[in-house]
Amino acid sequence: MSKAKKKKIKVIYRKLAREKAWGVAWHDHDIIEIDSRLSKKPLLSTLVHESLHISNQSLSESTVLRMEKIIADILWRQGYRKVDQ
Ligand SMILES: [Zn+2]
C-alpha cells in the first residue's frame, strides 16, 4: 500500500516580469509564485487562482477564472486578506 504523502505547496513572492502574469503555478515543483507588487484583493484572487491550477491541472483556464472569482469574493467578504508583518 502506498503512503499518500501530503504535499506542501510553497508560495514565493517576487516581481514577475518574464512570466507576463501576476501568478504562476509550477506543478512539478509544488511551487506557486505571486507578484509581490499586487495589492490585497488581487493578491487573494491570484493566490486562489494559482491554488486551483496546482490542485487540478486538468481544469480549464475559464473554469479556474470562474472559481477564482467566486472563492476570492467569499473569502474577501469574510475578511480574509494578507496581514502586514
Ligand atoms: Zn490561470
Side-chain angles (χ1 to χ4, degrees), residues 49-50 53 61 64:
H49 185 102
E50 301 311 331
H53 273 310
E61 182 65 13
V64 166

Side-chain angles (χ1 to χ4, degrees), residues 26 32 48 51 57 60 62 77:
W26 303 100
I32 289 173
V48 168
S51 299
Q57 285 189 64
S60 69
S62 60
R77 285 188 292 111

Side-chain angles (χ1 to χ4, degrees), residues 33-64:
E33 288 186 310
I34 303 286
D35 195 296
S36 52
R37 293 164 293 184
L38 284 174
S39 58
K40 294 187 181 199
K41 181 99 187 271
L43 170 63
L44 177 67
S45 223
T46 305
L47 192 56
V48 168
H49 185 102
E50 301 311 331
S51 299
L52 288 164
H53 273 310
I54 215 158
S55 303
N56 187 342
Q57 285 189 64
S58 62
L59 293 176
S60 69
E61 182 65 13
S62 60
T63 301
V64 166

Side-chain angles (χ1 to χ4, degrees), residues 63-81:
T63 301
V64 166
L65 284 168
R66 198 171 61 243
M67 293 167 81
E68 167 201 338
K69 198 172 184 316
I70 293 167
I71 296 169
D73 192 55
I74 291 169
L75 293 176
W76 183 261
R77 285 188 292 111
Q78 293 304 309
Y80 290 94
R81 58 213 64 194

